[in-house]
Amino acid sequence: MELNLLTLCYLIGSITFIVGLKMLSHPESARKGNLVAAFGMAISIIGTIFLYQENGEGLHNYEWIFSALIVGTIIGVLAAKKVKMTAMPELVSLFNGMGGACAALISIIEFKHITHHFSIASVAAPLTEVPYATYLSIFAGLIIGSVSFAGSIIAWGKLNGSIKDFSFKGQQVFNIVLFVFAIALSAYLIVNLTADTLPLFYVVLVASLVYGVLFVLPIGGADMPVVISLLNSFTGVAAACGGFLYNNQVMLTGGILVGAAGTLLTILMCKAMNRSLLNVLIGSFGASSGGTQQAVTGSYKEIALSDAAVCMSYANKVIIVPGYGLAVAQAQHICHELEKILEEKGVDVKYAIHPVAGRMPGHMNVLLAEADVDYDKLLEMEAANDEFKQTDVVLILGANDVVNPAAKTDPASPIYGMPILEVEQAKTVIVNKRSMKPGYAGIENALFFQPKTSMLFGDAKAALQKLVAEIKSM
Amino acid sequence: METILNYLHQHINIIYIVVLSIFLGIEVIGRVPSVLHTPLMSGANAIHGVVIIGAIIVMGRVEMGNYAALIIGFLAVLLGTLNVVGGFVVTDRMLEMFKKKK
């Protein structure tokens, strides 16, 4: 009876995951979809705790299970509620790493469990009663889970700025060798497991962790969303390995669904940046670009705050282009205030959102939504490009590569071919940046040297505050 | 060769689940607008937290007194919970913002 009920719980879980994912990919139903999936998860977890049986015996150690669940829930809710909107990508990466670690730990315990008698009886013969498939699931879960864990932690550190890019000569080769080593050693162990070779299990663990670190370290900060999405699908596969191990349908469907959907999502993200996944993983921006790019020379001009204020308040139409600089400066609220003041003066204000502006696809939408910016004011790239011609002033806030005309005009440029916001079609362009330093791609931006462009240096938040004050006093 | 075929035969249900889930996963998010990439990734992240079920099973089977396994299992359940709970709450928070502008 209990087991039948549990099967029903798992069926409900699997269905809610599918329905939830489906609803998550449509704007109107997304929030409900998340709740549907959460509901299915709760049913599956509660069902497992109370109904799971093995050889007619239920689970025990309830006090341990519940204390872990309660502590985890409290920390998880607090972390998720407290985090600033700008730090969202890091947190997702961190949670993903936790899932990977969980999968790896399961493999460790299971491995210890089924090889337990080795250490007691010191049997030197390979185990025959445990099928290879079980070992295969354990090792796969261990490798994928640890890579996902180590990689996610590095991605987390990179996004919050505590870990810098790092690479050494021959790192690609070293990585591949390390990866092949971990796989080969696992294969060897699966076939030849004896009491003497048991400790090698931990060598596989360490090799996987090191691989995870080295795999993510050289990848540039702006590509982290793609990497997180990829690691996300890895963790999905690691969860599915657990599903194999326990013959557990909900873990299987949940894990494989996320593995497949995550991989597709990763590819979609790459497409939005007009790059291939391989290019993201192997080539870092700027490293491969030779000296053949068109040199960007000339002088730029600065604009005084009062001039920028005049320019914008007497315009008919202003389009704001937000970028990473806005996110870093936490300037979304003051940006919304600027929009309201300009609207009061009869200026038509819109936002142009590049699909990969910020540090995650959709990052800008989330940030501006947090500041209560009207959804109708956000233009997607194609719509914005149609409107720039009739725009008087474009205000760029900390965006760089997504407005670089080299992507259209210079085939030698590393970002050539990436779709951009064609801001140079507007009458005037005002660029707010902290300095003339190049953006993430590490290339100069010819836009800044054009006659119609003027620079407004400073932190986005400070500059906008002054700009708002200036316009108010006019 | 025969062991592989045998294995396939014995686990054919699981293999069907895997193959169909792969196609389903790809189909289901086929045309997601880029605005939703981040919440979708975060939601998928919460769903793979289903790995916690494995952790609970492991934990519930550990013999009393085996503290090493108990502690590792405790960690596994804890981390899995973080993944599930944190993942769903963060996703909800992101999507909540999309909703209220209207």
Side-chain angles (χ1 to χ4, degrees):
Chain A
M1 178 63 190
E2 278 89 354
L3 274 182
N4 295 342
L5 260 182
L6 184 59
T7 313
L8 182 65
C9 290
Y10 287 164
L11 182 64
I12 295 173
S14 300
I15 294 173
T16 57
F17 291 166
I18 298 167
V19 175
L21 265 186
K22 178 86 195 160
M23 291 169 81
L24 266 172
S25 43
H26 296 284
E28 323 79 53
S29 58
R31 199 173 175 201
K32 257 188 231 150
N34 185 49
L35 293 178
V36 166
F39 170 76
M41 184 71 80
I43 298 253
S44 309
I45 292 176
I46 295 170
T48 308
I49 295 177
F50 293 108
L51 302 174
Y52 187 86
Q53 282 184 352
E54 204 173 67
N55 308 327
E57 215 185 312
L59 296 175
H60 41 274
N61 298 322
Y62 277 124
E63 65 279 19
W64 288 81
I65 295 178
F66 279 111
S67 43
L69 279 174
I70 291 168
V71 174
T73 306
I74 293 173
I75 301 177
V77 171
L78 282 183
K81 290 260 179 204
K82 285 270 156 72
V83 66
K84 283 190 191 135
M85 267 302 142
T86 37
M88 215 60 121
E90 281 123 272
L91 195 69
V92 173
S93 176
L94 198 59
F95 286 146
N96 181 47
M98 299 299 108
C102 181
L105 290 175
I106 292 175
S107 288
I108 293 175
I109 303 184
E110 273 307 310
F111 185 78
K112 280 172 82 103
H113 182 69
I114 59 175
T115 57
H116 189 53
H117 65 278
F118 272 142
S119 43
I120 306 168
S122 68
V123 192
L127 271 185
T128 42
E129 66 268 33
V130 179
Y132 288 147
T134 304
Y135 282 121
L136 193 63
S137 310
I138 290 178
F139 277 98
L142 178 79
I143 294 179
I144 304 170
S146 333
V147 168
S148 179
F149 166 67
S152 299
I153 298 299
I154 298 295
W156 169 72
K158 280 201 151 185
L159 281 173
N160 69 22
S162 53
I163 298 174
K164 298 272 166 278
D165 289 8
F166 168 82
S167 58
F168 54 85
K169 223 171 163 240
Q171 180 161 357
Q172 298 298 343
V173 179
F174 183 78
N175 277 2
I176 293 169
V177 170
L178 193 63
F179 184 65
V180 172
F181 168 74
I183 303 270
L185 187 60
S186 309
Y188 172 77
L189 284 178
I190 290 172
V191 185
N192 298 307
L193 198 64
T194 63
D196 294 335
T197 51
L198 277 187
L200 288 178
F201 178 79
Y202 298 99
V203 176
V204 175
L205 171 66
V206 172
S208 309
L209 288 172
V210 174
Y211 177 76
V213 170
L214 292 181
F215 165 67
V216 178
L217 262 186
I219 300 172
D223 285 331
M224 274 310 127
V226 176
V227 175
I228 296 174
S229 175
L230 187 69
L231 292 173
N232 188 30
S233 61
F234 280 7
T235 314
V237 178
C241 291
F244 274 115
L245 200 55
Y246 300 114
N247 213 343
N248 185 306
Q249 292 86 355
V250 75
M251 285 174 82
L252 259 180
T253 39
I256 297 284
L257 265 181
V258 173
T263 310
L264 178 67
L265 189 59
T266 313
I267 294 169
L268 287 178
M269 284 183 184
C270 290
K271 268 199 189 139
M273 295 193 278
N274 197 41
R275 303 175 61 196
S276 71
L277 183 55
L278 203 67
N279 185 259
V280 169
L281 296 182
I282 292 178
S284 38
F285 252 147
S288 56
S289 61
T292 48
Q293 292 172 47
Q294 293 165 15
V296 176
T297 48
S299 55
Y300 56 88
K301 59 173 189 289
E302 281 193 58
I303 188 169
L305 261 171
S306 51
D307 292 339
V310 171
C311 189
M312 290 175 72
S313 14
Y314 291 107
N316 285 318
K317 181 166 185 171
V318 172
I319 292 187
I320 298 173
V321 178
Y324 185 56
L326 174 109
V328 172
Q330 289 276 334
Q332 64 270 34
H333 294 281
I334 187 78
C335 183
H336 179 49
E337 204 170 312
L338 175 72
E339 169 214 320
K340 279 190 294 190
I341 288 190
L342 287 174
E343 294 255 285
E344 276 165 26
K345 291 189 180 278
V347 185
D348 181 17
V349 185
K350 294 255 171 71
Y351 294 83
I353 313 286
H354 191 278
V356 294
R359 279 299 178 266
M360 267 193 153
H363 197 174
M364 290 300 131
N365 304 68
V366 174
L367 274 187
L368 293 174
E370 189 205 4
D372 279 328
V373 172
D374 198 339
Y375 194 62
D376 301 329
K377 291 203 163 295
L378 308 184
L379 299 176
E380 292 211 5
M381 187 166 56
E382 284 87 22
N385 281 341
D386 290 342
E387 290 205 18
F388 282 131
K389 280 176 221 111
Q390 301 102 45
T391 305
D392 301 302
V393 181
V394 168
L395 176 64
I396 299 175
L397 297 171
N400 190 344
D401 297 327
V402 295
V403 292
N404 192 338
K408 288 185 84 85
T409 56
D410 182 3
S413 169
I415 61 166
Y416 181 71
M418 180 172 94
I420 56 158
L421 290 164
E422 293 156 14
V423 292
E424 72 272 18
Q425 297 186 357
K427 293 198 186 79
T428 317
V429 178
I430 299 175
V431 181
N432 167 247
K433 270 169 77 43
R434 273 176 297 189
S435 67
M436 281 305 283
K437 252 178 65 185
Y440 172 67
I443 49 172
E444 291 289 348
N445 192 335
L447 175 77
F448 302 158
F449 302 98
Q450 285 181 5
K452 65 168 68 161
T453 310
S454 36
M455 310 296 292
L456 181 66
F457 289 117
D459 171 79
K461 191 171 189 175
L464 283 176
Q465 272 162 348
K466 284 183 211 148
L467 199 57
V468 167
E470 193 73 36
I471 296 176
K472 265 187 189 154
S473 67
M474 271 169 60
Chain B
M1 189 62 204
E2 206 182 314
T3 29
I4 295 176
L5 283 180
N6 251 336
Y7 178 78
L8 273 181
H9 181 72
Q10 277 167 10
H11 298 84
I12 195 66
N13 286 335
I14 285 191
I15 292 163
Y16 266 101
I17 293 181
V18 169
V19 173
L20 294 178
S21 297
I22 292 175
F23 283 104
L24 202 56
I26 292 173
E27 279 305 311
V28 121
I29 65 152
R31 272 199 211 102
V32 55
S34 62
V35 188
L36 282 177
H37 279 177
T38 301
L40 182 64
M41 175 159 108
S42 178
N45 174 46
I47 289 177
H48 70 49
V50 72
V51 69
I52 191 188
I53 288 180
I56 292 173
I57 296 177
V58 162
M59 187 77 195
R61 294 198 309 205
V62 172
E63 318 80 63
M64 271 169 244
N66 184 352
Y67 285 103
L70 277 176
I71 289 168
I72 302 179
F74 179 81
L75 258 181
V77 176
L78 179 69
L79 297 181
T81 316
L82 273 177
N83 187 179
V84 171
V85 176
F88 281 123
V89 175
V90 150
T91 312
D92 189 62
R93 233 186 107 192
M94 280 185 208
L95 292 168
E96 183 187 10
M97 287 164 190
F98 281 95
K99 226 185 160 188
K100 76 181 164 201
K101 64 34 298 227
K102 256 256 156 106

